[in-house]
Amino acid sequence: AQSVTQLDSQVPVFEEAPVELRCNYSSSVSVYLFWYVQYPNQGLQLLLKYLSGSTLVKGINGFEAEFNKSQTSFHLRKPSVHISDTAEYFCAVSDPYSGGYQKVTFGTGTKLQVIP
Amino acid sequence: DGGITQSPKYLFRKEGQNVTLSCEQNLNHDAMYWYRQDPGQGLRLIYYSQIVNDFQKGDIAEGYSVSREKKESFPLTVTSAQKNPTAFYLCASSPGTGEVDTQYFGPGTRLTVL
């Protein structure tokens, strides 16, 4: 069974400072990994995804994430945050599509609060 | 513009009433999903459908029902059997083909039971 752990429920950070949101996963097979962002009272928007290849993945809004297989991690980073980055961020893991349903497991979310 | 629409955005229900949440997509996706979101619990899968006229229970299907009569529509009914229905409900869709099946989400419906 696959699972996702987001270690921090809330992360406060000052504007223009760097941020890292942590995500660890467990799975018995190779996985695909995703980060989504959710603004208040809205749906989830895909930030980036890791499928294969380069372990450093770049996404929208200046975010990037690094896949580390040995540490089973997929941490999200941004070198300089803006007020508009205040939102909740979800890490998700998915088993490769095998012709059946591709189950996606979501973490419990990390609320990023950018302080002016 | 292609996307997923959910209506209504806010919904209030009295205890004992059934209520139906709408989800429509014009992305030509085969697969559709319903999730429930509660504070601090992330997203939990209620039902999913990989093709028209077929759907499967997710992790928390009790008290919910769905239909998939058209490719673009996947309505969710919250029945009176659902003991704690107040939550934020998210609909998603994915192409349903190929090796990687990224899910795309609608804006959500917030249901409150009075």
Side-chain angles (χ1 to χ4, degrees):
Chain A
Q2 58 194 25
S3 67
V4 179
T5 302
Q6 292 185 245
L7 299 168
D8 305 299
S9 60
Q10 295 190 44
V11 173
V13 62
F14 286 104
E15 192 174 16
E16 298 184 5
V19 69
E20 178 180 83
L21 305 183
R22 297 180 292 171
C23 173
N24 288 86
Y25 70 92
S26 65
S27 176
S28 59
V29 297
S30 59
V31 295
Y32 299 134
L33 294 157
F34 306 83
W35 274 101
Y36 286 87
V37 60
Q38 183 180 36
Y39 300 101
N41 289 311
Q42 294 187 27
L44 275 66
Q45 179 183 2
L46 182 67
L47 270 180
L48 50 81
K49 58 187 177 185
Y50 171 77
L51 309 178
S52 64
S54 174
T55 57
L56 184 63
V57 180
K58 293 189 182 297
I60 63 171
N61 301 340
F63 284 94
E64 63 182 32
E66 186 160 18
F67 171 61
N68 188 318
K69 188 174 182 179
S70 63
Q71 297 185 9
T72 60
S73 68
F74 190 55
H75 300 333
L76 181 70
R77 301 186 183 103
K78 187 170 183 178
S80 175
V81 296
H82 303 285
I83 292 291
S84 59
D85 293 323
T86 295
E88 190 160 18
Y89 293 79
F90 291 91
C91 183
V93 61
S94 162
D95 281 343
Y97 187 77
S98 61
Y101 163 60
Q102 184 179 225
K103 181 177 175 65
V104 177
T105 301
F106 290 85
T108 53
T110 298
K111 290 184 178 179
L112 174 63
Q113 182 184 9
V114 180
I115 304 164
Chain B
D1 289 338
I4 303 172
T5 57
Q6 292 186 243
S7 61
K9 188 171 179 63
Y10 298 96
L11 188 57
F12 298 90
R13 189 194 92 173
K14 293 182 180 179
E15 283 193 28
Q17 287 183 336
N18 291 355
V19 63
T20 298
L21 283 59
S22 170
C23 177
E24 303 276 334
Q25 55 100 359
N26 61 4
L27 299 168
N28 200 33
H29 286 172
D30 285 321
M32 297 187 75
Y33 313 82
W34 274 106
Y35 290 92
R36 171 181 171 139
Q37 185 179 19
D38 296 281
Q41 294 194 42
L43 278 69
R44 293 182 289 169
L45 182 67
I46 305 172
Y47 269 97
Y48 65 96
S49 169
Q50 293 179 277
I51 197 169
V52 174
N53 292 323
D54 184 61
F55 49 83
Q56 304 296 328
K57 293 182 179 180
D59 300 321
I60 56 164
E62 185 176 353
Y64 300 97
S65 66
V66 294
S67 63
R68 186 87 187 276
E69 297 177 1
K70 297 185 296 183
K71 185 176 183 177
E72 59 270 23
S73 179
F74 191 41
L76 173 74
T77 296
V78 184
T79 75
S80 57
Q82 171 49 234
K83 300 304 180 187
N84 185 22
T86 294
F88 191 51
Y89 290 87
L90 288 162
C91 178
S93 71
S94 66
T97 58
E99 188 174 346
V100 182
D101 209 21
T102 303
Q103 294 185 14
Y104 298 89
F105 286 80
T109 291
R110 186 167 297 281
L111 173 63
T112 303
V113 174
L114 303 174

